[in-house]
């Protein structure tokens, strides 16, 4: 789960990371009032779950409260990578002497959180890693021991020579690590970490992603979720306990299991179609999930055909068949449906479907080809 | 022969009185798996399904039954503790079915299990099966048949799909192992490939990867340099968008890393067969066995 | 460092261990007021750093506030194992169904904190360990992982069968472990852990010892030190940065290094004498330490002779010699002194001593024999 | 020959610019120890005593100098970190002189160092010396002389006393090792006895124990069952009262365990010579060599 910059900054501030003061505004007037309170120059920053805010014009410097209001009125409502800006952060501007990058990611290869720091800050760390890897220090942390003092010091010395700045940076590393661990993060980033003209080391921007699996343990983080920043259909799916990702194609896919769901999408593409979504109804046989899945997918006007691909293991295929019947009785389908199912209770499922006027196949390739053809407005093969 | 489990494997079920644990214990017993005990704190002394003794702890279960394998069906927030308990109690193979285990928990579980010298499979995996001998986990037994193809996969139902197609084509399996879809797991492709290479009963290997991470690339390197047996690979997620978690916590393209394209290229460079569709496994394996 | 029962209970309560309410009193009137506030039966408990308080009459049950006052007046001022009772804890009495023992010690063999629990509670755990070890569960805890849930559960199941009590006990184990770790303890004990007639699991008595090496890190714990509960000479020595333990003999020993100090005491005994103390002036060459050491030792009327045994390594023997001269000039000695020194700057030291009327030897056995003889009132050999 | 250090040992000093670190670095240099670098964060790039380069971290020092040994003189609250840093940087022998390290810190340091495969001596120890070759720590060099007695001790000045008496009696030492007086330390008696047993240049061993713990009892068992060379032992603290910490954090009789009497009995049962006084080592060792 992604959270906004201002939320990430609150989590870091709680651990003692020095961050310029700031508040969020959802109207230009609020932005002006905050700027007035802060005094001096401020930065108005769009709060959206998208990179490249600066390039998109979502981050602007204001010299006066009036200018802050003016800029906020331009940024609020702006669309960045398809996402509407509902909130801006108004924060005191800093006089920057130098910029560095500090981040922690959960690394699969080392099976550890890994610090990445670079004195080449304010940049795309992936690009630096690809082009000039020597400019990055990568330091895996053994969570059994935590970030040790000598490691924090090593990270600090990689960025700075001056002991005072090294110590300040080391303290920030410790705080960033604490924030990462306490909040079950999968990524925590300060970019840029800046040295001000006065010589202070502070965090100007911050990003934290939370491991979705941690949310049960952290209801206070679940509360940070901003549903207005997400696709409405994906919010709907999550609340229906479905794993759903919206795409641009026209073949709506309903599958059990993530791997099979991806393989089904790939096969749609293989046979010349375009998948409209990723959707995993999971391992349980709850017919209600089928009903919700159909509702969410058919709500998308660009979906031209529906493809069910169910391999019954734990999932009972007769439950899925019943779900299809129930859903289509309540809301008759306006687009064609292709059903492939095999495995647990396959015969019962086939009978249920046939009795209710559906046809079904047990062959995955055949079903996918048929769905692709139907989506293109052609006949079933 | 087989890898990791056979008919001498003795299993305890952690979370045996839960809904999933109970259901799959019955399935495993039906398949012939030697389930010798179960664990549910507070239900020690009871019996599951009239035959399987239940214990308060894995230590008590191991002491009483001598089990060498454990399979875990407990809620995600308790799974890390369950894995560590099993390793501490002397279990040699720990299979964690539970999905949704916080990844940071695994940064502690993994070294713990390593220190105890146990093998962990999962979490978020379907377990494994040696057809005709033993199944530990949730892979449907009836789709498998004994034979000589080793199957290893990051996915659940996709594995069933491919095993089902192999079986229909008359190609049995030596063992089928689901390593799970999480970013940090106990057993990886290389561990399984290495075991299949050393298993005389395995003549070829079917390997199903997916987007995210670099495990498949490392596996390809292993196939190229250390294996004599043919391996056919498949990558799910060619149509997945970057930056989105495709169901499995580990199935995510981070920036430009972990794409299907780079994995497929690695397979090709390693001289592996590359299945473009699940059904291709049948022809590609037949051509190589 | 030992702390009092009531202090240990505060540390445990902070982690969530259920403990009956109580307050401390230093006068009978305070005790009465607390008993009145608590209502019902109370226990009046002497707060001293000594075991066997119960047998010594330092723990009494009071049925009324008046009785609490009466008992407090008897217990306050009482001497238990040589220590005067200055404070009592007045705490609500519990109706006990059963008693158990729960403790954590820092174990040298496993290099870990080790839990020891026994359903045979309210007892001397050492005796149980010696006579019926099967009644004790010993569980070493790897501090890299902490007390894991399954371990806490195992400890609970060793004590109880009923799941509700097991859970309550497991929670207490977790809290006890937290208290142990957070406070840098070397021992933390709940004895007895009782089940009340109502079925609640609570801690009736608690003991915590803090690792002295942790006190720099924990000034809040240093503040718990009760100097009135210690030997005044040992308090004085600690404040002078000397490691000093008072004994009953007549040969006062001033040595550098703990091992040599013990070996010197042993040699005093070997040659028929009795050491008056353990005293290590440490490795530094600060003459002031010598001055303080002499002051503390000569303040004890039973000391009949003073024995210096200095092996100069880091310690410069000339510094020690200067310390002796300074101290004895300011406060002339009334008892004989025997000086042995060898090592760094030995010649200079000998010269300083000779010039100031002292004799010194470089042989340890010879010096010890002489000191023993002098303490016995005889002549120097 | 010798144990643990010899004239090929290359040493860095952690805390080289501190009072104690500086003093003892000079002493070691004077003795001929190959001090190749020092570490003080923030003083990297400086030079100590005109010759020894100072680094900001042990990693940097090891990278630049290839040192295999480190000696630590930092304040107690920083010692755990210093030991772990040294182990992480690839140092093979870590000698921690610092006294007053919290014991709970050592419950993490010990497994950390073990995992890195390094040897830790101490904390709260005087270090070690191989006379005529190298000294690492604070044992006064001039009291030692090369020879064939291996010395191992929990104490500092008591060791000096005995080494001094051996040297005066014409009995040189192969190596002298102070394992330190803390309850949890890195190297114990058995580690040293085993090394002395395998060192051809050691003909007999002098071992100084003290009250507290059971290390001496286990060492006696080792002497009885695994050693061919004669060992003479001594226990300090026969007159120590129970329950009091006699200077060393580890020198405490807990309840009725760890007394001098039981340790001396263990020595006697192991057939070791038992020195009642420090001076007895001379005659007892002479009789056995």
């Amino acid at each position: 789960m992604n959270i906004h910059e201002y939320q990430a900054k609150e989590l870091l501030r709680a651990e003692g990371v020095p961050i310029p003061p700031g508040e969020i505004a959802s109207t230009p007037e609020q932005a002006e009032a905050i700027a007035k309170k802060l005094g001096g120059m401020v930065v108005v920053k769009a709060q959206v779950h998208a990179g490249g805010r600066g390039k998109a014009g979502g981050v602007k410097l204001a010299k006066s409260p009036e200018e802050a209001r003016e800029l906020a009125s331009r940024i609020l409502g702006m669309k960045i990578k398809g996402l509407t800006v509902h909130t801006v952060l108004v924060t005191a501007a800093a006089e920057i002497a130098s910029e560095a990058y500090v981040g922690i990611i959960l690394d699969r290869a080392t099976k550890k959180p890994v610090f990445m720091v670079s004195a080449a800050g304010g940049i795309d760390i992936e690009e630096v890693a690809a082009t000039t890897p020597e400019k990055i220090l990568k330091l895996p942390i053994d969570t059994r021991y935590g970030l040790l003092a000598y490691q924090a010091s090593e990270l600090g010395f990689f960025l700075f020579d001056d002991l005072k700045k090294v110590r300040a940076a080391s303290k920030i590393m410790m705080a960033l690590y604490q924030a990462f661990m306490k909040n079950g993060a999968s990524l925590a980033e300060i970019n840029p970490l800046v040295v001000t003209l006065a010589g202070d080391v502070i965090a100007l921007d911050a990003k934290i992603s939370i491991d979705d699996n941690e949310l049960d343990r952290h209801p206070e983080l679940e509360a940070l979720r901003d549903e207005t920043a997400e696709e409405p259909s994906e919010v709907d799916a999550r609340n229906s306990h479905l794993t759903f990702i919206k795409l641009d194609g026209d073949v709506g896919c309903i599958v059990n299991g993530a791997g099979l769901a991806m393989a089904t999408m790939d096969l749609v593409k293989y046979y010349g179609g375009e998948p409209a979504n990723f959707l995993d109804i999971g391992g349980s046989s709850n017919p209600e999930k089928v009903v919700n899945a159909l509702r969410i997918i058919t709500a998308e006007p660009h979906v031209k055909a529906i493809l069910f691909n169910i391999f019954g293991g734990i999932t009972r295929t007769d439950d899925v068949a019943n779900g299809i019947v129930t859903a289509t009785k309540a809301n008759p389908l306006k687009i064609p449906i292709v059903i492939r199912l095999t495995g647990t209770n396959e015969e019962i499922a086939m009978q249920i479907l046939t009795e209710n006027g559906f046809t079904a196949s047990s062959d995955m390739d055949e079903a996918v080809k048929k769905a692709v053809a139907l989506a293109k407005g052609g006949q079933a093969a | 022969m087989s890898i990791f489990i056979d008919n001498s494997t003795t299993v305890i079920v952690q979370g045996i009185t839960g809904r999933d644990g109970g259901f799959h214990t019955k399935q495993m017993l039906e398949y012939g798996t030697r389930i010798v005990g179960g664990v549910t704190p507070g239900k020690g002394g009871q019996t599951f399904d009239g035959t399987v003794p239940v214990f308060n702890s894995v230590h008590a279960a191991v002491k009483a039954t001598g089990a060498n394998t454990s399979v875990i069906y407990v809620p995600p927030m308790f799974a890390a503790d369950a894995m560590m308990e099993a390793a501490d109690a002397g279990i040699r193979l720990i299979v964690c079915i539970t999905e949704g285990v916080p990844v940071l928990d695994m940064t502690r579980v993994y070294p713990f299990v390593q220190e105890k010298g146990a093998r962990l499979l999962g979490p978020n995996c379907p377990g494994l099966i040696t057809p005709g001998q033993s199944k530990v986990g949730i892979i449907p037994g009836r789709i498998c048949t004994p034979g000589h193809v080793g199957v290893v996969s990051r996915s659940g139902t996709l594995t069933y799909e491919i095993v089902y197609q192999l079986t229909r084509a008359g190609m049995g399996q030596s063992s089928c192992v689901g390593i799970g879809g999480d970013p940090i797991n106990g057993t990886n492709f290389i561990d399984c490939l290495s075991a299949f290479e050393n298993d005389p009963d395995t003549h070829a290997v079917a390997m199903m990867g997916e987007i995210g991470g670099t495990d498949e690339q490392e596996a390809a390197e292993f196939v190229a340099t250390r294996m004599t047996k043919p391996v056919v690979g498949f990558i799910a997620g060619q149509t997945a968008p970057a930056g989105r978690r495709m169901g499995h916590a580990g199935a995510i393209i981070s920036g430009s890393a972990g794409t299907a394209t780079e994995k497929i290229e690695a397979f090709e460079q390693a001289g592996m067969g590359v299945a473009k569709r699940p059904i291709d496994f049948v022809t590609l394996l037949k051509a190589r066995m």
Side-chain angles (χ1 to χ4, degrees), chain A, chain B:
Chain A
M1 183 182 87
N2 290 322
I3 60 174
H4 288 300
E5 174 195 1
Y6 78 90
Q7 296 168 323
K9 282 182 167 174
E10 277 315 310
L11 297 181
L12 292 180
R13 201 177 265 133
E15 302 304 323
V17 175
I19 292 168
E23 286 176 41
I24 53 165
S26 51
T27 66
E29 292 67 33
Q30 284 174 358
E32 181 178 15
I34 296 164
K36 199 171 281 169
K37 200 162 76 178
L38 291 173
M41 303 229 282
V42 299
V43 186
V44 182
K45 309 178 83 175
Q47 300 296 290
V48 279
H49 295 323
R53 288 177 304 170
K55 281 183 197 161
V59 178
K60 294 285 183 191
L61 186 69
K63 292 188 193 65
S64 66
E66 295 69 33
E67 195 181 354
R69 186 191 56 206
E70 159 62 15
L71 290 169
S73 78
R74 262 191 279 159
I75 295 172
L76 286 164
M78 175 186 273
K79 281 217 165 196
I80 299 179
K81 294 193 181 163
L83 298 168
T84 306
V85 179
H86 299 292
T87 312
V88 291
L89 172 63
V90 182
T91 180
E95 294 184 305
I96 300 173
S98 71
E99 303 194 349
Y101 171 93
V102 177
I104 311 177
I105 54 147
L106 203 44
D107 179 58
R108 309 157 76 116
T110 57
K111 301 183 197 286
K112 293 182 174 81
V114 171
F115 263 93
M116 313 234 295
V117 306
S118 176
I123 41 72
D124 181 350
I125 191 69
E126 267 204 56
E127 204 183 299
V128 178
T131 55
T132 50
E134 71 282 1
K135 288 193 178 164
I136 295 181
L137 175 64
K138 288 191 183 190
L139 188 67
I141 305 303
D142 187 331
T143 59
R144 297 174 301 162
Y145 299 101
L147 175 63
L148 298 168
Y150 74 87
Q151 295 175 315
S153 170
E154 194 184 342
L155 293 165
F157 274 113
F158 188 78
L159 297 181
F160 305 114
D161 290 319
D162 171 58
L163 192 60
K164 189 174 149 264
K165 292 194 191 80
V166 170
R167 293 241 162 96
S170 300
K171 240 179 110 181
I172 290 172
M173 305 291 173
M174 283 287 187
L176 181 65
Y177 180 77
Q178 289 308 323
F180 184 90
M181 295 300 294
K182 268 196 199 167
N183 298 300
S186 52
L187 176 144
E189 217 175 52
I190 298 174
N191 185 23
L193 178 78
V194 312
V195 179
T196 65
L197 291 183
D200 296 322
V201 184
I202 61 172
L204 271 207
D205 199 352
K207 184 177 173 188
I208 291 180
S209 303
I210 310 294
D211 175 4
D212 292 0
N213 293 347
E214 296 267 4
L215 293 173
D216 278 353
R217 187 184 273 167
H218 291 292
E220 79 284 6
L221 294 176
E222 179 63 54
L224 297 183
R225 190 189 290 280
D226 176 7
E227 295 196 338
T228 69
E230 296 177 75
E231 268 296 334
S233 60
E234 293 185 6
V235 174
D236 185 356
R238 190 178 52 247
N239 294 335
S240 307
H241 305 288
L242 295 168
T243 311
F244 173 80
I245 292 169
K246 193 186 158 187
L247 298 170
D248 296 329
D250 51 15
V251 180
C253 303
I254 301 178
V255 190
N256 67 324
L260 190 59
M262 281 189 277
T264 304
M265 290 160 59
D266 294 349
L267 208 59
V268 166
K269 180 92 177 176
Y270 181 89
Y271 286 118
E274 289 291 342
N277 64 278
F278 169 94
L279 195 156
D280 173 11
I281 61 165
S284 101
S285 297
N286 188 340
E288 205 186 328
K289 283 198 177 180
V290 176
V291 174
N292 285 321
L294 273 170
R295 174 175 52 73
I296 290 163
I297 285 190
T298 53
E300 299 290 343
H302 60 279
V303 175
K304 302 288 184 242
I306 295 166
L307 167 65
F308 268 85
N309 186 13
I310 305 296
F311 197 105
I314 320 167
T315 310
R316 287 167 47 181
T317 58
D318 54 330
D319 279 345
V320 175
N322 279 324
I324 295 173
V325 171
T326 308
T328 51
K329 270 192 184 146
N331 295 292
L333 285 176
K334 300 189 182 72
I335 51 175
I337 180 169
V338 179
I339 303 166
R340 182 271 177 142
L341 42 78
T342 190
T344 312
N345 295 354
E346 176 178 335
E347 293 77 15
I348 308 171
M350 290 295 185
Q351 197 186 331
I352 293 167
L353 290 173
T354 312
E355 281 170 3
N356 286 278
F358 293 95
T359 56
S361 137
S362 69
D363 186 283
M364 178 167 163
D365 287 73
E366 189 186 299
V368 171
K369 276 189 254 183
K370 191 166 157 188
V372 170
L374 287 168
K376 289 190 173 161
Q379 290 292 311
Chain B
M1 287 287 287
S2 60
I3 72 168
F4 304 153
I5 59 169
D6 57 27
N7 51 23
S8 75
T9 301
T10 49
V11 182
I12 57 158
V13 180
Q14 292 177 251
I16 194 167
T17 59
R19 204 195 49 173
D20 291 351
F23 175 79
H24 290 291
T25 299
K26 283 181 190 159
Q27 300 272 315
M28 287 187 279
L29 284 167
E30 227 168 72
Y31 195 75
T33 303
R34 294 172 58 190
I35 306 284
V36 296
V39 176
T40 299
K43 300 204 172 166
Q46 301 184 8
T47 310
F48 174 82
D49 206 29
T51 55
V52 181
V54 179
F55 301 89
N56 283 327
S57 72
V58 182
H59 279 84
V62 169
K63 204 175 161 192
T65 67
N68 54 28
T69 297
S70 168
V71 58
I72 296 174
Y73 303 90
V74 303
M77 294 305 146
F78 301 94
D81 193 66
M83 291 181 256
M84 294 199 269
E85 181 181 9
D88 192 26
I91 290 289
R92 309 309 301 161
L93 173 65
I94 302 159
V95 180
C96 185
I97 307 302
T98 307
E99 181 179 354
V101 180
V103 187
L104 280 177
D105 286 12
M106 292 308 298
T107 65
R108 288 156 53 81
V109 170
Y110 184 78
F112 187 96
V113 170
Q114 292 280 108
E115 287 186 313
K116 303 288 178 189
R119 169 179 299 286
L120 171 66
L121 187 66
N124 189 21
C125 83
L128 72 174
I129 185 167
T130 290
Q133 297 194 49
S134 183
K135 87 161 193 167
V136 178
I138 64 174
I139 297 177
R142 92 201 129 62
I143 60 173
C144 304
T145 193
H148 305 291
V149 178
V151 176
V152 58
S153 173
R154 265 168 77 180
S155 135
T157 46
L158 174 61
T159 314
Y160 311 164
E161 180 74 42
I162 287 161
V163 168
Y164 168 71
Q165 300 196 4
L166 291 174
T167 295
R168 280 212 299 188
M171 305 176 76
Q173 304 87 39
S174 53
S175 295
C176 307
V177 184
I179 63 171
D182 274 5
I184 298 183
N185 56 18
T187 294
N188 64 18
F189 280 124
I190 293 178
D191 298 324
C192 298
L193 291 171
S194 167
F196 280 131
E197 175 71 10
N198 293 324
D199 171 35
D201 221 31
T202 300
H203 300 171
V205 178
M207 172 175 153
M208 290 121 240
E210 60 191 32
I211 53 163
T214 56
D215 270 17
E216 289 82 358
Q217 291 88 316
E218 285 141 30
E221 172 75 16
F222 182 85
V223 170
T225 57
R226 311 281 291 277
M227 285 189 75
T228 60
K229 297 178 182 175
V231 180
V232 174
F234 175 84
I235 299 293
Q238 301 179 47
T239 48
R244 303 301 306 267
R245 169 174 149 165
M246 305 299 282
H248 287 163
I252 179 165
I253 299 167
S254 307
S256 58
T259 64
T261 310
E262 68 192 42
K263 288 167 192 275
I264 288 169
E265 271 169 22
F267 285 176
E268 283 167 351
Q269 276 173 20
M272 290 167 52
V274 177
K276 293 195 172 148
R277 304 170 298 174
I279 189 68
D280 294 340
F281 272 106
V282 170
T283 43
L284 290 168
L285 283 167
K286 268 205 177 133
R288 284 165 172 76
M289 284 174 80

